[in-house]
Amino acid sequence: LPIGVQSFEKIRTGDYYYVDKTPYIHRLIEQAGYYFLSRPRRFGKSLLLDTLHQLFEAKEPLFRGLFIHDKWDWSRPRPVIRLGFGSGVMGSRKELDNHIRYLLRINRERLGLADGPAEDISAEFAELIRRTHEQYGERVAVLIDEYDKPILDNITNAPVATELREGLKNLYSVLKDADPHLCFCLLTGVSKFSKVSLFSGLNNLRDITLSRQYSAICGYTEQDVDTVFAPEL
């Protein structure tokens, strides 16, 4: 049973049960654009992002037997920038900025990019997206996990929560002007973005939280339990 497993590769190579979510993923990518998805904790958001990551990097063996396998161009990997705020608790703007710089550095190293000048975080993020597009000759997929956790961790301390919100807003504001370099963008979290004014400039962000066609993109339906997990029942 894939309890608490957030790695798509581990599930697909480790003899775990897997409910095929690639029909939803295929539809998302075909429609292209910028998406936001809110779900409770432990609902498979991180696994969804990891599945997208492996798909964009064209890890074909992991998708054999799944819906999307014969519908994807495996000869054309796309670069991925992935940011996650699920680990650690940040109690100040400085701690948040340090964590963001760490995430940007990890992505540069994974993508084989030399460290660039870091005037400020928004410029560093924008430069990372632009240089990744240039180096790989393909537009970039940006995946952001637990986008709101730094705020939620400090939700009872309004001044700190506000400070962290502004820090995150500074980061996410880059996505609007980066449009020429992006092929896909998905942000996930627990709270709904309209409640915290983080994306005021990103007016092309589509909220699929309550979309009927994506209702089962994370988690299991009753039918999933009755079919995929039938041997355990």
Side-chain angles (χ1 to χ4, degrees):
L1 296 173
I3 299 170
V5 181
Q6 300 179 8
S7 165
F8 180 69
E9 181 179 10
K10 183 176 180 179
I11 285 181
R12 296 293 289 161
T13 60
D15 200 29
Y16 290 92
Y17 290 99
Y18 176 67
V19 175
D20 188 0
K21 299 296 183 181
T22 62
Y24 304 102
I25 289 172
H26 182 255
R27 186 185 302 151
L28 264 189
I29 296 172
E30 283 292 294
Q31 294 179 354
Y34 298 67
Y35 298 97
F36 171 79
L37 175 70
S38 172
R39 285 291 185 274
R41 295 228 187 280
R42 317 305 303 166
F43 226 82
K45 299 187 298 298
S46 298
L47 176 60
L48 172 65
L49 288 183
D50 195 58
T51 306
L52 281 159
H53 189 161
Q54 305 305 321
L55 182 66
F56 280 119
E57 291 193 342
K59 302 288 181 63
E60 182 268 337
L62 300 179
F63 293 87
R64 289 174 187 169
L66 300 182
F67 172 87
I68 204 168
H69 185 264
D70 61 353
K71 301 171 182 63
W72 192 254
D73 183 0
W74 301 106
S75 66
R76 188 186 167 196
R78 258 73 59 94
V80 175
I81 293 173
R82 189 168 170 184
L83 307 177
F85 295 94
S87 61
V89 176
M90 285 142 270
S92 69
R93 173 69 182 269
K94 182 179 180 181
E95 290 178 9
L96 174 65
D97 287 354
N98 287 340
H99 184 69
I100 293 172
R101 288 189 189 279
Y102 165 76
L103 293 174
L104 295 177
R105 189 181 81 246
I106 292 297
N107 276 274
R108 281 197 301 272
E109 291 173 357
R110 179 172 52 77
L111 293 163
L113 299 172
D115 277 0
E119 305 93 19
D120 58 70
I121 282 174
S122 57
E124 194 174 330
F125 188 27
E127 186 73 357
L128 171 61
I129 295 172
R130 184 186 65 79
R131 288 172 58 208
T132 300
H133 184 192
E134 286 178 356
Q135 174 148 323
Y136 287 84
E138 290 281 359
R139 294 205 289 174
V140 184
V142 173
L143 307 174
I144 300 178
D145 197 16
E146 303 282 8
Y147 87 99
D148 53 351
K149 186 174 181 291
I151 300 171
L152 297 180
D153 285 342
N154 295 277
I155 203 68
T156 57
N157 187 336
V160 173
T162 302
E163 190 178 278
L164 296 180
R165 183 192 69 193
E166 292 308 305
L168 290 170
K169 190 174 183 178
N170 181 49
L171 177 72
Y172 302 146
S173 65
V174 170
L175 296 172
K176 184 179 183 182
D177 290 336
D179 184 63
H181 305 293
L182 299 178
C183 66
F184 182 85
C185 184
L186 175 61
L187 300 95
T188 71
V190 173
S191 62
K192 193 171 177 181
F193 72 90
S194 59
K195 301 280 178 65
V196 285
S197 53
L198 283 172
F199 307 111
S200 54
L202 201 59
N203 50 13
N204 53 346
L205 190 66
R206 181 184 170 195
D207 182 4
I208 60 170
T209 301
L210 298 177
S211 169
R212 184 179 293 274
Q213 64 180 159
Y214 294 113
S215 61
I217 196 168
C218 289
Y220 303 136
T221 64
E222 185 176 11
Q223 183 181 6
D224 293 335
V225 174
D226 289 343
T227 54
V228 177
F229 297 97
E232 302 301 321
L233 300 178

